[in-house]
Amino acid sequence: MSRRKVTAAKRPVTAEAKGQRDQRTYIYGAIPDDAFGAKTDRPPPKGPEAPPLAQDERFEYLVNNPDLYTAATALPGPKKVGRPAHYPPVVYLIFLCSISLFGSARSTASHLQRPLWWEAVRRAVRAHQGDEAADALRPTGPSRSNWNHYFHKHLKPAHGTVRDISRDLWIQQALDHGMMKESGKRTSRIYPERQQVLHGDATVAAPPSSHTEHETVDETTGEIRTHRVDEDAGVTTEGGGRQVYGNKFLSVGVRLANRAHSRVILALESIRHRSQEEDPEREAEGAAFVGLVKHILTRAPGLRAATYDAALRGTHRAPLIAEGLLVFTPQHSGLPPQSLERYQDGPCKHDLYVAEARVCERHITVDGQTHYTPLPVKELECRQGKRTRYYHRLTIPCRAKDHTLRIRVDETEDDRQIDPTTGKKRFNRTEHLRQVPPDTPAGRRLKGFRQDSESTHSRFDQSYPHKRVPAYGANGALLIYIGYAWLNNSVTRVMHPQAAALVT
């Protein structure tokens, strides 16, 4: 029986991939053409360039977002006793969102003092809340003093309420656009449609001050200088070993395929970047992502996949796969091949291992080297039940005959058993074996979807002078990010009003 030799497609080798390759103590065979794509597959075409939008356009889209007025009902209202509030809660919510447009609270207050911008707010309030609410507004917008009082006394204590009601309104907006819904098209689970795939990532936002000590001493003059310090900020090590200082946030979003200005930020969360003892109120990155995705699934059962970076490990992927999702992340470097099973069919025996995220057959060469041959996968099978199960239906090429078998790629009951000798799970299957291997055309397609999160964080950073979020504390900075998300989603609402009809 002759075998066709399959060579891997040529592509640029990244520094990370080169480092991983240099650490190998084994030979890894050519990746076969299979259900995950072939070397002749063309890369997906680039989407259209987003048209520029002027500041006044974005502001009009923001103040006329009907969901913004729904969210404002959850904010602290005027007190029954004492001096009445200067402005209703919706004005302060508009102020919060406008900080991401104008760069700072000082600039926002200056803009809202001018009729050009304040009259737009009055018109929007009149359209959404009626003449009485609009006529009750003052001639000009809030001053910076008005804002600082409301932000610190009312808005920051209610940050959890603002976060939760915003999240649910954003999820509904995405559903209204036709995202995260079952499609009439018959597509493989390996190639979910763009609007059925979540993208998530965490970022460290720099606070207004980079100082970590309240007082410093000038070594030359002996002068004692006082500084304002963000008590919640800390040092986080990002990919590549780069250390950054600030507060860490997680975002989850979705977007339409090949349509500019179609991203909807679905959820935001402040996550722990210190030890659990120092910061017991916040969850770690992976656990927070799992919690957000599970909440989104309760509202959007048509969701098919989620993408993240290498920070998501097997223990985080397993519960999401059990919910029926395809979970894609790059492979964590430094994972050694793991023995899977010995397949036997009559006289034929094949040693199966998991190497570099997929099932391989192990051979020992004549010179004593270990060689892993990736096995071609015919299909990613999904079987629904109390826990969704995924299988690779793969082929083992053999001189006698080709063998077909199914390998589970979700966590099994046997995997969860604790090995008494190590005190760990017998096999961390979801850590070593992936539903879609990263080093395939299908994997690179899903990795490209995740890059949208990088764009979200980049645009967020660039919205403020010196890329510093203009608020101290993790809760305050989270509110600023929520305001940015409202601005982004307001643009999407206007730019794609008929999106639901286009994707069904």
Side-chain angles (χ1 to χ4, degrees):
M1 178 179 177
S2 62
R3 294 185 185 179
R4 181 170 62 92
K5 184 177 179 182
V6 180
T7 57
K10 292 184 178 181
R11 56 185 177 277
V13 179
T14 63
E16 181 181 359
K18 184 177 185 300
Q20 185 176 355
R21 183 187 62 190
D22 294 342
Q23 293 174 4
R24 290 178 185 166
T25 58
Y26 54 86
I27 301 172
Y28 195 74
I31 297 173
D33 295 347
D34 58 6
F36 302 122
K39 61 180 181 295
T40 56
D41 291 347
R42 293 182 178 181
K46 293 183 178 180
E49 184 177 352
L53 296 175
Q55 267 191 327
D56 59 323
E57 286 182 286
R58 292 177 181 270
F59 189 74
E60 287 280 356
Y61 298 162
L62 171 69
V63 298
N64 285 290
N65 186 341
D67 285 346
L68 200 67
Y69 296 85
T70 303
T73 60
L75 297 180
K79 297 181 179 179
K80 295 182 179 179
V81 297
R83 189 175 65 178
H86 291 88
Y87 299 90
V90 69
V91 170
Y92 289 109
L93 185 55
I94 291 172
F95 193 110
L96 172 70
C97 302
S98 301
I99 290 175
S100 298
L101 182 64
F102 300 123
S104 66
R106 182 191 298 273
S107 178
T108 301
S110 298
H111 279 79
L112 295 185
Q113 297 290 316
R114 299 191 62 202
L116 174 66
W117 303 95
W118 184 240
E119 286 304 316
V121 175
R122 296 176 69 96
R123 289 193 301 270
V125 171
R126 190 178 303 278
H128 294 279
Q129 293 188 325
D131 293 338
E132 184 178 352
D135 294 339
L137 294 177
R138 296 192 170 205
T140 59
S143 65
R144 192 182 177 202
S145 176
N146 297 145
W147 163 250
N148 285 337
H149 179 269
Y150 189 86
F151 183 68
H152 293 288
K153 296 295 183 180
H154 302 288
L155 203 52
K156 287 181 73 173
H159 76 277
T161 302
V162 177
R163 174 199 61 204
D164 294 344
I165 192 172
S166 298
R167 176 191 61 199
D168 291 340
L169 288 168
W170 297 337
I171 294 172
Q172 186 57 51
Q173 177 185 340
L175 292 171
D176 293 341
H177 286 302
M179 305 178 194
M180 303 186 294
K181 288 185 176 181
E182 290 290 350
S183 171
K185 301 178 183 178
R186 293 191 61 183
T187 58
S188 167
R189 287 186 175 270
I190 298 174
Y191 294 93
E193 295 185 66
R194 184 67 184 89
Q195 62 267 10
Q196 295 176 326
V197 183
L198 294 181
H199 55 261
D201 193 22
T203 187
V204 178
S209 170
S210 59
H211 289 286
T212 59
E213 298 180 1
H214 291 280
E215 291 185 351
T216 58
V217 179
D218 190 309
E219 296 180 356
T220 303
T221 64
E223 178 187 2
I224 299 176
R225 298 176 179 174
T226 59
H227 309 284
R228 189 171 180 182
V229 176
D230 191 321
E231 302 293 347
D232 294 332
V235 177
T236 301
T237 302
E238 292 187 333
R242 186 172 68 96
Q243 291 189 333
V244 291
Y245 177 74
N247 293 295
K248 198 169 187 178
F249 301 100
L250 170 67
S251 73
V252 179
V254 67
R255 72 174 305 153
L256 297 169
N258 300 319
R259 294 185 179 93
H261 293 300
S262 66
R263 181 191 304 128
V264 176
I265 300 173
L266 300 173
L268 295 166
E269 186 60 276
S270 173
I271 56 178
R272 186 170 65 238
H273 53 276
R274 297 180 175 182
S275 66
Q276 188 171 2
E277 292 76 14
E278 292 180 308
D279 192 2
E281 296 181 358
R282 296 178 180 84
E283 289 187 295
E285 182 175 345
F289 179 74
V290 172
L292 288 180
V293 174
K294 283 187 173 183
H295 178 79
I296 294 170
L297 272 172
T298 62
R299 303 282 305 277
L303 194 63
R304 297 289 293 274
T307 63
Y308 207 79
D309 61 18
L312 210 67
R313 306 304 295 264
T315 187
H316 307 121
R317 287 189 289 269
L320 296 181
I321 294 173
E323 295 286 342
L325 290 180
L326 188 155
V327 184
F328 176 83
T329 65
Q331 180 73 339
H332 202 274
S333 61
L335 293 177
Q338 298 288 312
S339 176
L340 188 61
E341 64 176 78
R342 167 167 281 195
Y343 178 81
Q344 185 169 354
D345 183 7
C348 301
K349 296 180 181 179
H350 302 272
D351 290 326
L352 303 184
Y353 276 67
V354 177
E356 301 190 17
R358 63 186 300 156
V359 180
C360 303
E361 183 179 3
R362 189 186 72 161
H363 301 277
I364 304 299
T365 63
V366 292
D367 55 356
Q369 290 186 307
T370 305
H371 188 284
Y372 293 99
T373 303
L375 300 179
V377 175
K378 298 299 182 184
E379 187 180 357
L380 175 65
E381 297 182 352
C382 176
R383 298 182 183 179
Q384 301 288 345
K386 291 183 178 180
R387 290 176 60 92
T388 304
R389 294 168 293 166
Y390 281 91
Y391 297 82
H392 279 174
R393 181 164 61 84
L394 50 82
T395 301
I396 304 177
C398 180
R399 293 181 179 179
K401 64 174 183 178
D402 288 351
H403 308 282
T404 300
L405 70 157
R406 289 174 172 83
I407 298 292
R408 289 275 295 270
V409 290
D410 62 289
E411 189 177 63
T412 69
E413 190 63 37
D414 289 340
D415 295 337
R416 289 189 287 272
Q417 300 300 317
I418 302 300
D419 189 335
T421 59
T422 63
K424 300 179 179 179
K425 293 180 181 180
R426 291 187 181 276
F427 182 44
N428 194 347
R429 187 178 299 259
T430 51
E431 176 73 8
H432 296 274
L433 183 58
R434 301 301 174 82
Q435 296 160 292
V436 176
D439 199 15
T440 60
R444 288 189 284 275
R445 174 178 179 263
L446 290 170
K447 184 177 180 180
F449 290 174
R450 196 205 68 81
Q451 300 304 319
D452 206 66
S453 292
E454 301 283 358
S455 176
T456 301
H457 294 320
S458 176
R459 295 294 298 170
F460 172 66
D461 290 338
Q462 294 170 9
S463 297
Y464 315 104
H466 310 295
K467 297 184 179 180
R468 293 186 176 276
V469 179
Y472 283 92
N475 295 339
L478 176 62
L479 285 169
I480 299 294
Y481 208 152
I482 290 172
Y484 169 82
W486 273 111
L487 181 63
N488 173 89
N489 295 349
S490 298
V491 172
T492 302
R493 172 181 287 275
V494 175
M495 299 295 286
H496 301 279
Q498 305 298 326
L502 294 173
V503 298
T504 55

